[in-house]
Amino acid sequence: MPKLIESTNDFVVRFANVNGSGSASANALFAKSILRMGVPIAARNIFPSNIQGLPTWYEVRISGAGWLGRRGGCDLMVAMNPQTWDKDVASIDPGGYLFYDSTRPIPPSKFRDDVHVVGVPLTEICNARYTDARQRQLFKNIIYVGALAQLLGIELGAVEKLIGEQFKGKDKLIEPNVEALRAGHDWAAANLAPIGLKVRRADAVGDRILVEGNNAAALGAVYGGATVCAWYPITPSTSMAEAFQRWCRRFRVDPETKKNRFAILQAEDELASIGMVIGAAWNGARAFTCTSGPGVSLMQEFIGLSYFAEIPAVIFDIQRAGPSTGMPTRTQQCDILAAAYASHGDTKHVLLFPEDPRECFEFGAAAFDLADRLQTTVFVMSDLDIGMNEWLCRPFEWDDKRRLDRGKVMTYEDLEAGREFGRYLDVDGDGIPYRTYPGTHPTKGSFFTRGTSRDRYARYTEEGGPYVDNMQRLLRKFETAKRLVPGPVRRDASEPTRYGVIYFGSTSPAMAEALAALEQRGLHLDAMRVRAFPFSDEVIDFVLGHDQVFLVEQNRDAQLKSLLVNEGAIDPARIISVLHYDGTPITARFIIDEIAERMAALNVVPLKKAVP
């Protein structure tokens, strides 16, 4: 038997449950009670695509040091699903702990000799207190939270306060839940010996907030001036449309007339939804849709229209695992190429890569300015991990002096003063023409919007010269976009190094921990987080400035690498892909092991072991 794991404010708890058993709220209660004690947590919900019956896991990373990515492995398994018992027991780190319902005997062969077993007769306790079958199931979850609170030193008052908040307005439910919590707590106090994992009150959370990425992105859309959302339900983006509706009811209702100053339309399919967005934007509204990979596939025709007719549109792509239906409730970063070159013909689209809910808010607002300035589709490339999980992040900030940037819009006064108007005329070399809103002037500034080829003045033509002229101008506009999109974030190693690593999006928290761990091993890497496509010159220079660059992404085919090689004319041999695509959020341990192994293969000697 290895030494039992002993740790305070630094361990991983994983709950194995059955979907539809009512465990989600109890598990969240557990995580948030630790947060209320001032200890940072990172929670990940890994759930199936059916309503109930299949396995689901909820993983809580407790990290006094503030690491917010998945670590990998688990120290305490709360095994509540017989269907996944063997897999769950196998996933516990040696010296870890197994918490289970001991009402019924389990053969000794089902346990591990190197894991400490904590049995609580949850079903027996429930059956003695409740007669209703549903109550027995629901309160069993609260009872195990109470037992865990006693084992780990979680303050009962913190949990009880959260129960009061959770059932506010349903006060009859508060007392029974508190009683179930105390039942588990009291049983554990009377029957269980202490274990080596402890939660101790700290002051490491500060003013940070716990928020889902989809909720944050929806609020960003409101602050970015969006008034129209057209969408079709699809996991994992549906909650963003629902959140946008809630925020609009709060901020987009006229205080005097009580009339809505927003429109939310559930379309018959994804193609119709992006068509509605483009129609609204053509009329001057700021509009968006939220979807996932299958939806982007169905939107291709209208995305091409937005690009070629130069009509602003914003698409929030909350990525999930594909292809086809794939794993609809699992996360990946697998829509990069599909979004970057969406539609047929030669197209290139702006992509933004938020790392957490805070950037979902920031980029959610900025996307509308970019779409208007560039007169094109802008994708905000979130994913299920960010979108549907609650992340601990810094509070959102907003400058009340900030004004919407509508880009090049010719006004009535401009036209009346005799300014030349050509809808696709580039007057200053940045590739972006002027546009007008419908009805700007009774006789001037009108044009025919079409998806077919035309000249600089929107006159239909199929001549090769005007077509090439237009397509080259669109390339100039894409070059202009490099200066407008969020720039990359660079972090140089503490020691000079010839090696670098590039990453993006939801990989960020695990990457931060991995870099620190690799540095402790003497393996130093300069790091760059890419935040947008088109890539700025800084990104290309970063690759060219290192002998080898690791590129960490969560898909099978190294899609960001392909984009970087294609757009930056980079030798593919310079970039070493580190790929994670099993549908679960990437872990720090995975990144550490992959990079360390590959650096060893490159004969990189850790600095601390180097001979002077």
Side-chain angles (χ1 to χ4, degrees):
M1 178 85 179
K3 182 180 179 182
L4 293 178
I5 296 173
E6 296 184 1
S7 183
T8 298
N9 291 355
D10 186 15
F11 54 92
V12 174
V13 180
R14 185 178 299 152
F15 296 83
N17 299 100
V18 177
N19 201 34
S21 63
S23 59
S25 59
N27 296 343
L29 193 69
F30 170 87
K32 291 178 181 178
S33 64
I34 297 172
L35 187 67
R36 289 290 178 90
M37 291 178 63
V39 181
I41 58 102
R44 299 291 193 279
N45 191 15
I46 301 170
F47 59 100
S49 57
N50 74 334
I51 296 174
Q52 63 182 18
L54 290 182
T56 183
W57 291 270
Y58 186 80
E59 184 176 288
V60 183
R61 173 79 182 277
I62 295 101
S63 176
W67 300 123
L68 299 179
R70 291 183 72 214
R71 186 198 69 187
C74 83
D75 304 301
L76 169 60
M77 170 63 68
V78 182
M80 303 302 294
N81 187 357
Q83 182 183 349
T84 60
W85 175 275
D86 292 341
K87 179 180 179 180
D88 296 331
V89 172
S91 69
I92 306 170
D93 282 2
Y97 303 84
L98 170 65
F99 179 105
Y100 79 108
D101 183 354
S102 61
T103 301
R104 293 182 179 179
I106 296 177
S109 61
K110 289 291 187 178
F111 297 95
R112 281 171 49 188
D113 293 337
D114 61 347
V115 168
H116 181 67
V117 176
V118 181
V120 179
L122 298 168
T123 301
E124 181 182 314
I125 297 171
C126 282
N127 289 347
R129 298 176 68 92
Y130 311 106
T131 56
D132 180 76
R134 185 58 176 166
Q135 277 189 329
R136 285 175 172 176
Q137 177 59 61
L138 295 176
F139 286 127
K140 182 195 293 187
N141 302 322
I142 301 299
I143 289 170
Y144 73 59
V145 172
L148 289 169
Q150 162 61 23
L151 277 173
L152 300 175
I154 299 172
E155 297 170 4
L156 210 58
V159 191
E160 291 176 353
K161 186 175 180 181
L162 280 166
I163 289 174
E165 293 173 6
Q166 181 175 326
F167 294 108
K168 186 177 181 180
K170 302 177 181 178
D171 294 351
K172 291 182 179 180
L173 297 175
I174 295 175
E175 186 176 345
N177 278 274
V178 170
E179 287 179 357
L181 177 76
R182 289 176 178 169
H185 183 275
D186 293 347
W187 192 96
N191 295 278
L192 297 179
I195 66 173
L197 305 178
K198 293 296 176 186
V199 178
R200 181 182 298 150
R201 178 167 285 278
D203 188 19
V205 174
D207 64 349
R208 286 181 290 180
I209 59 175
L210 196 66
V211 61
E212 286 183 355
N214 282 353
N215 195 10
L219 183 61
V222 171
Y223 272 74
T227 56
V228 176
C229 169
W231 66 294
Y232 185 77
I234 183 172
T235 301
S237 70
T238 295
S239 62
M240 181 182 171
E242 293 169 344
F244 182 71
Q245 185 174 39
R246 291 194 302 272
W247 288 121
C248 283
R249 285 174 176 167
R250 182 171 175 179
F251 295 119
R252 290 253 189 276
V253 176
D254 189 283
E256 295 181 2
T257 65
K258 306 301 179 185
K259 290 184 177 180
N260 292 339
R261 296 186 295 182
F262 63 92
I264 300 175
L265 306 98
Q266 182 176 325
E268 62 266 32
D269 54 35
E270 287 87 350
L271 183 59
S273 67
I274 187 63
M276 293 174 180
V277 167
I278 291 170
W282 182 85
N283 276 283
R286 287 194 157 184
F288 74 93
T289 187
C290 48
T291 188
S292 193
V296 173
S297 297
L298 293 169
M299 294 178 183
Q300 298 285 309
E301 286 185 72
F302 270 137
I303 293 173
L305 176 65
S306 167
Y307 177 80
F308 200 52
E310 298 180 70
I311 302 170
V314 174
I315 299 175
F316 290 86
D317 182 0
I318 320 301
Q319 299 169 89
R320 71 189 207 187
S324 188
T325 307
M327 295 190 292
T329 58
R330 297 290 192 264
T331 193
Q332 278 188 7
Q333 297 170 320
C334 59
D335 296 345
I336 308 302
L337 292 176
Y341 301 125
S343 197
H344 57 279
D346 295 320
T347 57
K348 291 184 181 182
H349 305 291
V350 172
L351 314 182
L352 306 181
F353 303 116
E355 70 165 344
D356 63 7
R358 179 186 168 94
E359 282 196 343
C360 284
F361 171 78
E362 293 176 358
F363 292 1
F368 293 93
D369 279 353
L370 286 169
D372 271 357
R373 287 191 68 180
L374 296 167
Q375 301 173 27
T376 193
T377 293
V378 173
F379 286 86
V380 181
M381 304 297 290
S382 181
D383 59 34
L384 185 146
D385 184 21
I386 299 175
M388 294 191 71
N389 285 314
E390 291 183 312
W391 287 46
L392 192 63
C393 59
R394 290 179 294 126
F396 306 157
E397 295 179 354
W398 187 259
D399 183 358
D400 288 333
K401 296 179 181 178
R402 178 173 168 178
R403 295 292 177 264
L404 304 184
D405 185 350
R406 302 309 299 257
K408 294 182 176 180
V409 179
M410 202 165 284
T411 64
Y412 174 92
E413 291 74 20
D414 294 330
L415 294 166
E416 191 67 12
R419 285 190 63 180
E420 181 184 17
F421 176 74
R423 176 62 186 96
Y424 302 105
L425 178 66
D426 182 5
V427 297
D428 50 18
D430 64 1
I432 305 172
Y434 277 86
R435 60 178 174 142
T436 57
Y437 297 135
T440 296
H441 193 283
T443 59
K444 301 176 182 179
S446 60
F447 61 94
F448 193 89
T449 302
R450 54 165 45 95
T452 48
S453 182
R454 66 272 159 173
D455 65 12
R456 297 176 180 181
Y457 296 90
R459 296 174 300 209
Y460 172 73
T461 177
E462 292 186 18
E463 293 183 6
Y467 173 80
V468 170
D469 175 71
N470 194 49
M471 293 297 286
Q472 286 299 115
R473 180 184 58 76
L474 289 170
L475 274 183
R476 289 198 303 276
K477 182 167 74 170
F478 200 68
E479 283 294 311
T480 298
K482 289 182 180 180
R483 304 193 301 269
L484 302 178
V485 298
V489 177
R490 177 167 177 157
R491 170 197 171 278
D492 286 338
S494 60
E495 301 284 348
T497 179
R498 296 179 291 120
Y499 299 91
V501 61
I502 289 175
Y503 60 100
F504 63 103
S506 63
T507 303
S508 294
M511 191 73 236
E513 184 177 0
L515 286 169
L518 288 166
E519 191 161 288
Q520 287 182 346
R521 297 187 186 187
L523 299 174
H524 298 273
L525 298 101
D526 296 329
M528 176 168 281
R529 177 166 68 89
V530 172
R531 300 201 295 167
F533 173 74
F535 305 117
S536 68
D537 293 341
E538 293 173 79
V539 178
I540 309 302
D541 291 344
F542 182 85
V543 177
L544 298 179
H546 294 86
D547 291 353
Q548 300 279 181
V549 173
F550 298 96
L551 207 168
V552 183
E553 46 186 317
Q554 298 181 66
N555 58 67
R556 185 196 69 179
D557 292 343
Q559 294 188 25
L560 194 75
K561 175 183 176 179
S562 297
L563 203 58
L564 194 53
V565 167
N566 187 49
E567 297 294 327
I570 291 171
D571 179 1
R574 279 184 175 271
I575 301 175
I576 302 172
S577 291
V578 176
L579 305 174
H580 182 278
Y581 52 92
D582 69 0
T584 63
I586 196 168
T587 68
R589 285 184 180 178
F590 175 85
I591 298 172
I592 294 164
D593 292 345
E594 288 288 314
I595 291 181
E597 180 181 344
R598 291 161 190 250
M599 291 188 82
L602 293 169
N603 295 317
V604 178
V605 180
L607 286 180
K608 64 182 180 181
K609 296 182 180 179
V611 178

